[in-house]
Amino acid sequence: MAPEKDTFDLSGPTDLTHIDWNIPAHRRSVAASLVQGVYVLERDRQKNRLEHEALAPAWWEFFHFQLLRKLVDDADLSIFGAIYELKSPTSDQNHSAAQAPRFVIAFRGTIIKLDSFLRDLKLDLLFILNAFHKTSRSKIAMQAVRNLVSDVGNSNIWLAGHSLGSALAMHTGKNMAIVGDFLKTFLFDPPFVSAPIERIKTEKLKKRIRIASSLITAGLTVAMKGRHASPSSENSFTKLSEWSPHLFVNPADIICSRYVGYFKHREEMEKIGLGGIERLATQNSIRDLFLTAFGRESKLLHLIPSAKLTVNLTPSPYLRRAHGIRHGIRQWWRLDLNLECKQYYYK
């Protein structure tokens, strides 16, 4: 029997039969489903589900997409990404066709199965060590995105990813944005490497820790300028400010919840007159400043200047009853979530 989580008719957003690309919830649901399609592609491969037994196609065909290419990791031959193309919009979608993507490049996260888990776990650790951008998987993804943009332009291409795949979409999106190609990007549960400050219950204590961290980080940044810090790093961060990816975060998820405090703290620092200090601190971390001081290259993939942040405030018991989990992609294609959305711009 096929697992429920892989079967679109049992787990997918089957009620989304009429897509209005002008509606953010519809765009979110489709993007999340296409990411799930990559997960199921890899599980189909691992379980040798071929042709009529394959479960993955339903996750894109339901929304009138076709699979153009699988992205395969050269280390273990696992499928980690996919390039989809939207067929001609159906008649009920024509009024919103201008908001529809022509292509979507989607990346999966970690799969806890022996066939791919060791490779995924190694990449998770490299992300924590800020060395993810050096991996062959990252380079394969980057080249695929560059090739597609070169062939068709950047106006109708979406990037989407979940967890580790979100880090991959973040990396490719940032690199494209630096050269002026701003791709619409959907980042589901993107990992944030940081101390788990969001787990602290006392708001005053959290604020004090954040302010102290910003002051120390900004001070170290100023002290190191001219010695070790790259003069282009701040310019690159400023260039990125025009790119505003969609971040989808569950505050109960320790892997990505730090983004809530990251953007909220920047806003609070502006209000109390410390915006200049925070602008220095927000593009660095204490750990990576020390690594740079000792001559070790470090690239902070998770820090971004601007974003459309969506926080899932749906009660956890409800998500569990609905077969969702705090860090699961499945929560994000649901249309009945209690969400809080806010746009943050880097000044």
Side-chain angles (χ1 to χ4, degrees), residues 263-289:
F263 286 107
K264 184 179 179 181
H265 176 58
R266 277 176 29 182
E267 198 172 54
E268 290 174 345
M269 290 288 276
E270 288 285 347
K271 289 179 181 178
I272 63 176
L274 297 177
I277 289 174
E278 184 55 24
R279 280 189 287 277
L280 277 177
T282 196
Q283 53 190 294
N284 296 286
S285 79
I286 295 173
R287 183 188 65 168
D288 291 280
L289 286 170

Side-chain angles (χ1 to χ4, degrees), residues 177-203:
I178 287 173
V179 297
D181 292 314
F182 302 106
L183 306 181
K184 188 180 288 291
T185 305
F186 297 81
L187 306 173
F188 299 100
D189 302 316
F192 192 110
V193 180
S194 171
I197 298 174
E198 301 307 311
R199 311 303 293 176
I200 298 173
K201 301 297 182 182
T202 309
E203 281 298 322

Side-chain angles (χ1 to χ4, degrees), residues 2 9 44 61 100 129 176 195 270 294 299 316 325 328:
D9 289 341
D44 279 348
E61 290 177 352
L129 296 172
M176 297 307 295
E270 288 285 347
F294 286 101
K299 194 168 184 177
S316 294
I325 53 177

Side-chain angles (χ1 to χ4, degrees), residues 217-233:
T217 304
L220 287 172
T221 302
V222 171
M224 291 174 57
K225 264 191 174 179
R227 292 183 58 205
H228 302 284
S230 169
S232 63
S233 61

Side-chain angles (χ1 to χ4, degrees), residues 215-248:
L215 292 171
I216 294 171
T217 304
L220 287 172
T221 302
V222 171
M224 291 174 57
K225 264 191 174 179
R227 292 183 58 205
H228 302 284
S230 169
S232 63
S233 61
E234 188 170 349
N235 291 335
S236 297
F237 201 77
T238 303
K239 285 181 182 178
L240 283 174
S241 61
E242 295 181 48
W243 178 60
S244 188
H246 297 263
L247 269 61
F248 300 92

Side-chain angles (χ1 to χ4, degrees), residues 6-195:
D6 288 354
T7 306
F8 183 85
D9 289 341
L10 298 177
S11 252
T14 54
D15 52 340
L16 191 55
T17 54
H18 302 288
I19 302 170
D20 186 337
W21 295 103
N22 290 318
I23 299 177
H26 288 194
R27 298 195 297 267
R28 166 176 54 82
S29 185
V30 172
S33 297
L34 295 179
V35 172
Q36 176 69 355
V38 184
Y39 277 107
V40 185
L41 268 172
E42 172 57 16
R43 286 194 281 263
D44 279 348
R45 184 192 72 86
Q46 292 185 17
K47 296 179 180 294
N48 201 30
R49 297 191 294 239
L50 304 174
E51 298 179 356
H52 66 282
E53 294 181 337
L55 300 178
W59 289 93
W60 58 81
E61 290 177 352
F62 186 84
F63 304 108
H64 310 289
F65 282 86
Q66 60 185 349
L67 178 65
L68 285 187
R69 179 188 167 192
K70 302 171 186 174
L71 300 180
V72 178
D73 193 312
D74 60 359
D76 63 353
L77 301 183
S78 64
I79 300 167
F80 70 88
I83 302 177
Y84 304 102
E85 181 178 15
L86 180 66
K87 301 175 185 177
S88 298
T90 57
S91 57
D92 62 294
Q93 297 172 342
N94 284 335
H95 74 286
S96 64
Q99 295 295 325
R102 182 180 172 193
F103 299 94
V104 178
I105 306 176
F107 305 106
R108 68 165 175 85
T110 302
I111 291 181
I112 308 176
K113 296 290 183 182
L114 285 180
D115 286 353
S116 58
F117 180 58
L118 292 179
R119 172 62 171 167
D120 289 352
L121 179 61
K122 179 180 179 180
L123 292 170
D124 288 332
L125 293 174
L126 287 172
F127 176 81
I128 294 172
L129 296 172
N130 294 329
F132 184 61
H133 60 290
K134 300 177 181 178
T135 65
S136 61
R137 183 180 294 190
S138 176
K139 293 174 182 176
I140 292 169
M142 192 70 247
Q143 192 59 54
V145 173
R146 282 178 176 149
N147 289 346
L148 188 60
V149 170
S150 176
D151 289 342
V152 304
N154 61 19
S155 59
N156 287 79
I157 297 176
W158 287 8
L159 297 176
H162 173 249
S163 194
L164 181 64
S166 205
L168 201 49
M170 175 88 78
H171 172 59
T172 55
K174 286 175 76 169
N175 276 277
M176 297 307 295
I178 287 173
V179 297
D181 292 314
F182 302 106
L183 306 181
K184 188 180 288 291
T185 305
F186 297 81
L187 306 173
F188 299 100
D189 302 316
F192 192 110
V193 180
S194 171

Side-chain angles (χ1 to χ4, degrees), residues 192-202 205-206 209-210 251-259 261:
F192 192 110
V193 180
S194 171
I197 298 174
E198 301 307 311
R199 311 303 293 176
I200 298 173
K201 301 297 182 182
T202 309
L205 179 58
K206 277 197 288 190
I209 292 174
R210 288 174 185 150
D253 177 9
I254 193 172
I255 293 175
C256 64
S257 61
R258 182 68 177 85
Y259 273 111

